[in-house]
């Protein structure tokens, strides 16, 4: 049995980018650990919170529900605050992940990697997929944590923009301009076929009901278009070739 630690910026990121890999690892008998940097404080506030319930508490509960579906045996939050989108005032707010000391944050993550004797760590690419400050920080912190803990297999999760754009086109949706920049698709060298786990992946998305609504891009797609956008999870793997899979 191996251990996969998947490191994410906010609640719901885990099911979108690595939900299939997490479930695949679980079903193949491996240990899956989810680490989340923030509690998603800057997310949309839904109108169905319980009296006295705040958004972070709801998003933590949603993360645990998603993690259970995806097979995570352990969920940890590093305790930083959501930094909001690049350029928001929240970027520089006290306690934001974007302003966190990367070395300190890396040591927090490395302690979990060491405790779990992690074989594989997933992070994001250097642009954080779409330039979100917390996603960029996940890349920086994750890289350093792997060095500290001696975790040699590090995979940078990223969407293949051409697939996401085509899915928007098929659904008749406007393509967000966040896909204009980023790490080139040509750097992707690992693809994991997760079509077998798409039902679970979609259920995990639904677990994040405060942020992923039924009319969202993620849940409104028909099955074929959803499989196009999310049926393969893509990574940049150190030293891996195009035909390699995410082996645990």
């Amino acid at each position: 049995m191996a251990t996969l630690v998947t490191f994410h910026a906010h609640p719901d990121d885990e099911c979108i980018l690595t939900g299939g890999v997490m479930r695949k690892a679980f079903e193949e008998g491996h240990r899956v650990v989810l680490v989340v940097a923030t509690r998603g404080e800057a997310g949309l506030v839904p109108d169905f919170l319980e009296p006295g319930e705040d958004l972070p508490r709801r998003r933590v509960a949603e993360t645990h529900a998603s993690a259970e579906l995806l097979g995570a045996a352990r969920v940890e939050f590093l305790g930083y605050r959501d930094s909001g989108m690049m350029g928001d005032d929240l970027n520089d707010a006290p306690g934001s992940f974007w302003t966190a000391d990367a070395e300190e944050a890396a040591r927090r993550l490395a302690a979990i990697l060491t405790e779990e004797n992690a074989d594989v760590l997933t992070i994001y690419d250097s642009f954080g997929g779409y330039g979100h400050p917390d996603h960029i920080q996940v890349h920086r912190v994750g890289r350093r944590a792997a060095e500290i803990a001696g975790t040699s297999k590090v995979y940078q999760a990223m969407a293949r923009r051409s697939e996401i754009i085509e899915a928007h086109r098929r659904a008749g949706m406007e393509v967000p301009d966040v896909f204009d920049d980023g790490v080139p698709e040509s750097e992707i060298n690992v693809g994991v076929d997760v079509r077998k786990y798409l039902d679970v992946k979609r259920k995990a998305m639904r677990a994040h009901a405060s942020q992923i609504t039924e009319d969202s891009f993620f849940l409104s797609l028909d099955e074929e278009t959803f499989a196009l956008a999310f049926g393969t999870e893509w990574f940049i793997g150190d030293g891996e070739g195009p035909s390699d899979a995410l082996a645990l």
Side-chain angles (χ1 to χ4, degrees), residues 220-244:
S220 64
L221 298 178
D222 60 59
E223 290 187 8
E224 181 180 350
T225 307
F226 187 79
L228 167 68
F230 301 106
T232 302
E233 292 178 352
W234 300 103
F235 301 86
I236 301 172
D238 296 341
E240 301 288 346
S243 63
D244 291 295

Side-chain angles (χ1 to χ4, degrees), residues 19 37 88-89 160 209 219 241:
D88 288 355
D89 291 342
R160 193 179 282 276
L219 296 181

Side-chain angles (χ1 to χ4, degrees), residues 51-67:
E53 181 185 31
D54 60 16
L55 180 62
R57 184 181 302 177
R58 170 58 67 102
R59 297 199 71 181
V60 167
E62 290 175 343
T63 302
H64 281 281
S66 169

Side-chain angles (χ1 to χ4, degrees), residues 68-157:
E68 183 174 359
L69 287 164
L70 298 175
R74 177 181 179 183
V75 178
E76 293 288 345
F77 288 84
L78 294 188
Y80 296 101
R81 289 190 62 83
D82 189 335
S83 307
M85 297 295 287
M86 189 67 81
D88 288 355
D89 291 342
L90 291 173
N91 293 174
D92 299 319
S96 73
F97 190 43
W98 181 237
T99 60
D101 182 288
E103 185 71 15
E104 179 198 11
R107 292 191 180 280
R108 290 191 194 181
L109 177 58
I112 297 171
L113 295 175
T114 300
E115 183 179 340
E116 291 288 346
N117 193 24
D119 299 282
V120 179
L121 172 67
T122 74
I123 56 174
Y124 306 140
D125 65 60
S126 60
F127 189 64
Y130 59 101
H132 194 295
D134 289 336
H135 286 233
I136 295 170
Q137 191 76 315
V138 161
H139 175 83
R140 296 171 178 169
V141 169
R143 278 292 213 189
R144 178 61 182 139
E147 291 176 357
I148 296 169
T151 304
S152 59
K153 287 188 175 183
V154 180
Y155 292 86
Q156 302 171 49

